[in-house]
C-alpha cells in the first residue's frame, strides 16, 4: 500500500465510523430500534456502541502495526492513526452519555 | 507509488547563453499578441493573475454592497433600501464574497504560484485553467447583471428551501443563484483537479511529498476538499433547480421531500468551505513567517498532520449549522464534539507559527503586520467558533448578528488578512517592483481598526438579540448605538481597503525596481526573473532546495540552462512529470498551445445556463450537443498519428513523451474527476436514504410498476456494461472499441426502455423523482462511456491507436468501469425499491 494511502488510513477509519454511527442513529430513531430493549439498553444503542468500538479497535490496531521511527516517512502514517483514534473516541463518546432519540 | 524520502539528484545540463534560452522559450510559451492573445491565453501566470484581479473586482463590488447594508442599518428605520432590495443585496453580498471572491482568489493564488513554487512550467491542464476562468467570469457576470436588473437572488447566500422554492420565490431570482453558482463551480472543480494533479505529478526530481513546501501541502489539502466538498452543493443546486423548473419534488414536504435535505447538502459543502478558504491562506502564512523571521518553520511534520486532520474533520461538522432544526440530542452531541475537536489541529498550526517566530528574528515588514492582524482576528474568530460549537449557546445565538460577527472574524481574519500578507509578499515577483513605504502600513492599521470596530461590536448586537437579515428595527432602541458604531467603522474599514488597493497599484506602476529574491525566500518561486516570464524557468530544477537554502542561489544556474529540459529546442511546450510518492522522473508532457477552445466551451455552457434561465428548456439539448462536440474536439487535439522519440532531459537520462506513457496527467485528472463524480453519486444516495428514512409522507402512495420485467431489463443493462468493461481490457484495436461502443449503446437503449416502462411521473412524489434522477444519472454515464468508446474507435480507424500509446484506452477503462459500477448500484437500488415498495 502506498505511503499516502497509509497516511490516510486513520482519518479514513474515523470518516467511515462517524458516518456509520450517524447513519445508524438516524435509521434507528426512524425505525424505532430504541424501543427494542436488550438489558441494560436497546438494540439501537448496542448497534452504535458496537460500531464505535469497532472503529476504536481498527484505529488502535493501526497505531500498533504501523512502524515507528524512521523520520516523517513513518511518522505521518502513525500520526494519521492517532488522529483517527482520537477523533473516533472523542466525537462518538456521546454514545455513552446521551439518550438515543 | 513507493515510499518517499529516497531523494536523488540528476546531473545538470551544460550551461548555455541565458538570453538565447529566454528568447527561444518565450517564442513557444508566450501568449499571442493583442486582444486575440488575451482570449486564447492558457498560461498559468496570465490566468492566475486574471483570476485574482477579477476576484478583487468582485470583492470591491461585494464591499460596496456591504456599505449599502450598513447604511441601511445605521438607523432603526432606515429608508436607504426597501426590503426587497435589501434582501437581494445581503444575498448577493454573501454570494459574491464566497463564490466570486474567496474561492476564485484562492484558485488564482494556487494557479499563479504552484508551478513556480514546484519548479515546473505550467499547470497540468492549461486549457482547463482557461475554461475555469471563463466559466467563473461568465457565471459572475450573469449574477451581477441580475442585480442590475433587480432580479438578483434574495433568499440568503445559503438559499434555504422552502423559501427558495417556486412557491415562495417565484421569478428567476433563485434560478440565477442556482444556475449561476453552479456555472461558477465548474471553475472550482477544474481548479481542484489541476491543482491536485500538478502537486502530485509535477514536483522536481527528488522532491518527495515529505520534502514538499508547506504551501503545496496546504493546496493539496484544499484541492482534495474541493473535489469532495463541492459535489454535494452541485447536486443540491441541480435538484432544487429541477424542482423549480420541472416540478419534481425533492424538498417539498407534501410530496415526500424535505427541506432539511437541502440544508444537509448545502452544509456538507458549506462547512468544509470555511477550511477550503482557510487552508491556502494558512499555506501563505507558513511560507511567509519563516522568511520574515529568518529561520525555518517549526513543526513541519506536525503541520502536515494538522492539515490531514483538518481535511477529514472538517467534513464532520456540517450539522452544527443545523442545531436548531430539531435533531436528537445524541446527534447534536456528535457534531458538537467534532466542532470542538477541529480547534485542535488549528491550534497546532497557530503554535507552530508562534514557535517559528519565537525561534527566529521577526522583521515587521508589511507582510508580517498583516500576519499579526491575522493572529489577532482569527484566534478571536476561532474562540467564538468554539462557543458556537456548544449546543446550548448555539441555540441562543443561532441566526443572530453574533454569527455574522463570528463568520467575518473567521473569514476576514483567516483569509483576507493572510491574502493581504501574500499580496505584499509576492508583489515584487508579480510586478518586479518594491513598495512605496508608508501607505501599506497606514492601510493595515485603518483596516484593523475598521474591522474590529465593525465586527467586535456586532457580537454584542447579536447577544442582545438582533437577528440577521432584518432591514429595520424600530422597536429595539437598545440596538441603535451598536448598529451605528458598526456602520461608522465599516466605512473606516472600506477606506482601509481602498488605501490597500491604491498601495498595490502605486507599487505596480511607480515602485522602485527590486533585486531578484528581495526577501531571501526559501522556495523556488524566488529563483525566477521578475516579473515572471511565461515559461517560468529556462531549465527545471534537478532537486528541491535544501531547508533554509535561499532560492536566489540556484536562480542563475537555472537561467543558464543547467537544470533539466533546458529551453524549447523542439518548439513545444514541455515539462517534466514525476511519480507521485518518490518524485522520480516518469515522462515528459507536451502541453497544448494557445487556443480559443476554452472560451468557446464556456460560452456554450453559458448558452445552456441562459436557455434554462429563459425557460427555453426545449432548446437546451442543442447547447449540450454543442458542449459534446467541443469536448470531442478538445480530445482530438490530444491524439497523435505517430510515435515520438524520447526526450533528453539530462546528460544521462532520456524519457518518453506522454503519448507513450500509461500513467499520464490526463489519467490522474480523470481519477480526480471520478472522485468528485463519485462524491456526487454518494450524495445522491444519501439524499435517497435520508428521504426514505426521515422525510414525512413516505412511503409513496402509488406502488411501483414493472416487477420482473423491470428487474430483467436492469440486469441486462448492467450485464451489457460489464461486457464493455471486459472489452476495454482486450488487446488495443478496432474490435474492442466497436464492441465497447455497441454494448454501451445497447445498455443505453435498455435504460431508455426501463425509464419509459417502469418509471412513474416524477412530479408525483420524491421517490419517483429520485428514481428518475438515478436512472438519468446512469443513462448519462452510459452515454459518456459510449462516447469514449466511439472516440477510441475513431482513433483506431485513423491508425492512431498503438500498444506504444496506451493512455487513451487506460482512460476509457477508468470511465467505463465507473459507469459499470455506478449503474450496478443504481440497479440494486431500483430492484430493492421494487421489492420493498
Amino acid at each position: 500500500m502506498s505511503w499516502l494511502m497509509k497516511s490516510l488510513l486513520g482519518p479514513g477509519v474515523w470518516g467511515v465510523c462517524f458516518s456509520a454511527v450517524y447513519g445508524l442513529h438516524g435509521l434507528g430513531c426512524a425505525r424505532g430500534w430504541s424501543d427494542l430493549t436488550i438489558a441494560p439498553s436497546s438494540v439501537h444503542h448496542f448497534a452504535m456502541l458496537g460500531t464505535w468500538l469497532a472503529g476504536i479497535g481498527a484505529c488502535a490496531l493501526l497505531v500498533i502495526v504501523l512502524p515507528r521511527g524512521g523520520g516523517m516517512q513513518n511518522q505521518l502514517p502513525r500520526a494519521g492513526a492517532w488522529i483517527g483514534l482520537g477523533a473516533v473516541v472523542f466525537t462518538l463518546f456521546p454514545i455513552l452519555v446521551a439518550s438515543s432519540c | 507509488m513507493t515510499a518517499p524520502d529516497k531523494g536523488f539528484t540528476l546531473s545538470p545540463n551544460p550551461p548555455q547563453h541565458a538570453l538565447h534560452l529566454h528568447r527561444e522559450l518565450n517564442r513557444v510559451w508566450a501568449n499571442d499578441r493583442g486582444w486575440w492573445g488575451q482570449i486564447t491565453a492558457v498560461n498559468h501566470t496570465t490566468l492566475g493573475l486574471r483570476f485574482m484581479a477579477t476576484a478583487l473586482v468582485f470583492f470591491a463590488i461585494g464591499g460596496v454592497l456591504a456599505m449599502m447594508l450598513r447604511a441601511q442599518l445605521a438607523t432603526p428605520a432606515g429608508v436607504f433600501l426597501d426590503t426587497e432590495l435589501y434582501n437581494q443585496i445581503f444575498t448577493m453580498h454573501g454570494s459574491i464574497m464566497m463564490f466570486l471572491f474567496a474561492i476564485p482568489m484562492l484558485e488564482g493564488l494556487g494557479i499563479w504560484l504552484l508551478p513556480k513554487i514546484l519548479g515546473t512550467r505550467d499547470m497540468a491542464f492549461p486549457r482547463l485553467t482557461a475554461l475555469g476562468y471563463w466559466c467563473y467570469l461568465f457565471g459572475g457576470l450573469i449574477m451581477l447583471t441580475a442585480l442590475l436588473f433587480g432580479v438578483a437572488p434574495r433568499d440568503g447566500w445559503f438559499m434555504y428551501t422552502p423559501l427558495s422554492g417556486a412557491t415562495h420565490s417565484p421569478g428567476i431570482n433563485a434560478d440565477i443563484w442556482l444556475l449561476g453558482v453552479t456555472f461558477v463551480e465548474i471553475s472550482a472543480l477544474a481548479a481542484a483537479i489541476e491543482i491536485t494533479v500538478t502537486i502530485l505529478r509535477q514536483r522536481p526530481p527528488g522532491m518527495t511529498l515529505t520534502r514538499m513546501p508547506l504551501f503545496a501541502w496546504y493546496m493539496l489539502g484544499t484541492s482534495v476538499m474541493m473535489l469532495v466538498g463541492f459535489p454535494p452543493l452541485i447536486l443540491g443546486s441541480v435538484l432544487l433547480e429541477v424542482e423549480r423548473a420541472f416540478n419534481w419534488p425533492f424538498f417539498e414536504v407534501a410530496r415526500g421531500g424535505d427541506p432539511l435535505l437541502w440544508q444537509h447538502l448545502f452544509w456538507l459543502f458549506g462547512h468544509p468551505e470555511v477550511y477550503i478558504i482557510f487552508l491556502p491562506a494558512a499555506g501563505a502564512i507558513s511560507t511567509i513567517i519563516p522568511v520574515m523571521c529568518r529561520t525555518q518553520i517549526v513543526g513541519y511534520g506536525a503541520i502536515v498532520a494538522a492539515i490531514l486532520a483538518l481535511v477529514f474533520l472538517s467534513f464532520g461538522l456540517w450539522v452544527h449549522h443545523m442545531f436548531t432544526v430539531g435533531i436528537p440530542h445524541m446527534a447534536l452531541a456528535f457534531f458538537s464534539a467534532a466542532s470542538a475537536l477541529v480547534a485542535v489541529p488549528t491550534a497546532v498550526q497557530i503554535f507552530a507559527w508562534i514557535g517559528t517566530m519565537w525561534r527566529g528574528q521577526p522583521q515587521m515588514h508589511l507582510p508580517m503586520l498583516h500576519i499579526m492582524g491575522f493572529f489577532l482576528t482569527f484566534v478571536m474568530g476561532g474562540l467564538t467558533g468554539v462557543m458556537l460549537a456548544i449546543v446550548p449557546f448555539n441555540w441562543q445565538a443561532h441566526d443572530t448578528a453574533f454569527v455574522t460577527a463570528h463568520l467575518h472574524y473567521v473569514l476576514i481574519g483567516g483569509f483576507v488578512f493572510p491574502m493581504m500578507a501574500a499580496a505584499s509578499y509576492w508583489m515584487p515577483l508579480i510586478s518586479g517592483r518594491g513598495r512605496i513605504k508608508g501607505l501599506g502600513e497606514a492601510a493595515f492599521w485603518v483596516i484593523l481598526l475598521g474591522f474590529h470596530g465593525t465586527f467586535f461590536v456586532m457580537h454584542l448586537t447579536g447577544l442582545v438579540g438582533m437577528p440577521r437579515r432584518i432591514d429595520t428595527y424600530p422597536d429595539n432602541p437598545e440596538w441603535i448605538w451598536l448598529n451605528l458604531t458598526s456602520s461608522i467603522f465599516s466605512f473606516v474599514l472600506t477606506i482601509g481597503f481602498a488605501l490597500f488597493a491604491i498601495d498595490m497599484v502605486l507599487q505596480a506602476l511607480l515602485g522602485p525596481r527590486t533585486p531578484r529574491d528581495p526577501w531571501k525566500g526559501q522556495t523556488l518561486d524566488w529563483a525566477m526573473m521578475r516579473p515572471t516570464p511565461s515559461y517560468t524557468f529556462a531549465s527545471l530544477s534537478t532537486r528541491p532546495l535544501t531547508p533554509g537554502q535561499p532560492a536566489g542561489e540556484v536562480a542563475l544556474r537555472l537561467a543558464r540552462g543547467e537544470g533539466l529540459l533546458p529551453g524549447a529546442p523542439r518548439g513545444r511546450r514541455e515539462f517534466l512529470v514525476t511519480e507521485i510518492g518518490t518524485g522520480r522522473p516518469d515522462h515528459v508532457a507536451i502541453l497544448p498551445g494557445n487556443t480559443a477552445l476554452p472560451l468557446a466551451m464556456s460560452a456554450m455552457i453559458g448558452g445552456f445556463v441562459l436557455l434554462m434561465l429563459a425557460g427555453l428548456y426545449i432548446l437546451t439539448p442543442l447547447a449540450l450537443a454543442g458542449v459534446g462536440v467541443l469536448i470531442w474536439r478538445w480530445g482530438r487535439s490530444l491524439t497523435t498519428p505517430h510515435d515520438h522519440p524520447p526526450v533528453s532531459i539530462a546528460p544521462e537520462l532520456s524519457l518518453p513523451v506522454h503519448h507513450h506513457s500509461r500513467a499520464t496527467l490526463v489519467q490522474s485528472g480523470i481519477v480526480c474527476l471520478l472522485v468528485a463524480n463519485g462524491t456526487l453519486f454518494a450524495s445522491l444516495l444519501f439524499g435517497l436514504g435520508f428521504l426514505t428514512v426521515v422525510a414525512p409522507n413516505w412511503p409513496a402512495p402509488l406502488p411501483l410498476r414493472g416487477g420482473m420485467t423491470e428487474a430483467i431489463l436492469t440486469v441486462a443493462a448492467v450485464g451489457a456494461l460489464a461486457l464493455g468493461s471486459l472489452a476495454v481490457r482486450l488487446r488495443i484495436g478496432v474490435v474492442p472499441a466497436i464492441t465497447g461502443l455497441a454494448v454501451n449503446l445497447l445498455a443505453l437503449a435498455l435504460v431508455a426502455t426501463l425509464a419509459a416502462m417502469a418509471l412513474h411521473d416524477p412530479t408525483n412524489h420524491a421517490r419517483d423523482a429520485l428514481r428518475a434522477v438515478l436512472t438519468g444519472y446512469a443513462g448519462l454515464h452510459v452515454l459518456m462511456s459510449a462516447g469514449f468508446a466511439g472516440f477510441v474507435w475513431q482513433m483506431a480507424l485513423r491508425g492512431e491507436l498503438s500498444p506504444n500509446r496506451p493512455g487513451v484506452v487506460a482512460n476509457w477503462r477508468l470511465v467505463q468501469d465507473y459507469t459499470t459500477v455506478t449503474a450496478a448500484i443504481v440497479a440494486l437500488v431500483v430492484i430493492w425499491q421494487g421489492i420493498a415498495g
Side-chain angles (χ1 to χ4, degrees), chain B residues 44-242:
Chain B
H44 78 280
T45 296
T46 304
L47 290 166
L49 289 176
R50 203 182 281 176
F51 258 108
M52 289 191 279
T54 310
L56 284 175
V57 170
F58 279 117
F59 180 67
I61 294 168
V64 169
L65 298 182
M67 292 303 94
M68 295 168 78
L69 298 176
R70 287 314 321 171
Q72 170 69 19
L73 292 174
T75 55
V79 290
F80 183 65
L81 303 170
D82 63 28
T83 303
E84 167 68 19
L85 197 51
Y86 183 85
N87 291 347
Q88 289 190 21
I89 286 179
F90 77 66
T91 301
M92 284 297 287
H93 167 70
S95 303
I96 285 175
M97 290 305 196
M98 279 291 183
F99 297 107
L100 303 180
F101 162 64
I103 296 168
M105 182 58 124
L106 72 88
E107 290 165 23
L109 178 67
I111 289 166
W112 180 80
L113 184 57
L114 274 171
K116 300 172 177 67
I117 219 165
L118 294 174
T120 184
R121 287 189 173 134
D122 207 331
M123 298 296 285
F125 310 112
R127 294 184 300 182
L128 198 60
T129 315
L131 173 68
Y133 176 75
W134 294 117
C135 288
Y136 160 48
L137 183 67
F138 292 161
L141 287 178
I142 287 172
M143 294 176 75
L144 276 190
T145 307
L147 184 62
L148 290 177
F149 284 93
V151 289
R154 60 193 164 199
D155 309 308
W157 79 273
F158 31 81
M159 292 293 288
Y160 275 178
T161 56
L163 187 61
S164 56
T167 307
H168 301 287
S169 188
I172 65 167
N173 306 57
D175 303 306
I176 295 277
W177 191 96
L178 295 167
L179 291 164
V181 166
T182 304
F183 194 8
V184 171
E185 281 160 7
I186 292 173
S187 154
L189 279 182
I193 289 169
E194 60 184 342
I195 287 172
T196 307
V197 176
T198 301
I199 294 172
L200 291 179
R201 304 295 309 276
Q202 290 178 233
R203 303 188 308 278
M207 184 189 276
T208 58
L209 289 170
T210 51
R211 297 175 72 184
M212 197 162 67
L214 275 173
F215 182 79
W217 268 112
Y218 276 106
M219 287 306 301
L220 182 61
T222 304
S223 59
V224 171
M225 287 179 73
M226 287 167 78
L227 287 176
V228 181
F230 276 85
L233 178 62
I234 292 174
L235 174 71
S237 300
V238 169
L239 294 185
L240 183 52
E241 181 56 29
V242 169

Side-chain angles (χ1 to χ4, degrees), chain B residues 251-333:
Chain B
F251 308 106
E252 187 190 316
V253 175
R255 289 184 286 165
D258 193 332
L260 286 186
L261 175 60
W262 169 264
Q263 294 198 26
H264 278 293
L265 292 175
F266 183 87
W267 290 116
L268 262 168
F269 148 81
H271 200 83
E273 156 79 348
V274 175
Y275 294 91
I276 286 170
I277 289 171
F278 170 64
L279 287 185
I285 293 167
S286 295
T287 307
I288 296 170
I289 285 181
V291 176
M292 292 292 141
C293 297
R294 299 278 163 264
T295 186
Q296 292 169 40
I297 193 83
V298 168
Y300 176 98
I303 291 178
V304 174
I307 296 169
L308 186 65
L310 276 180
V311 167
F312 277 82
L313 288 177
S314 64
F315 283 94
L317 317 178
W318 83 93
V319 171
H320 79 211
H321 294 273
M322 302 165 61
F323 277 170
T324 56
V325 302
I327 289 171
H329 285 178
M330 184 181 282
L332 292 182

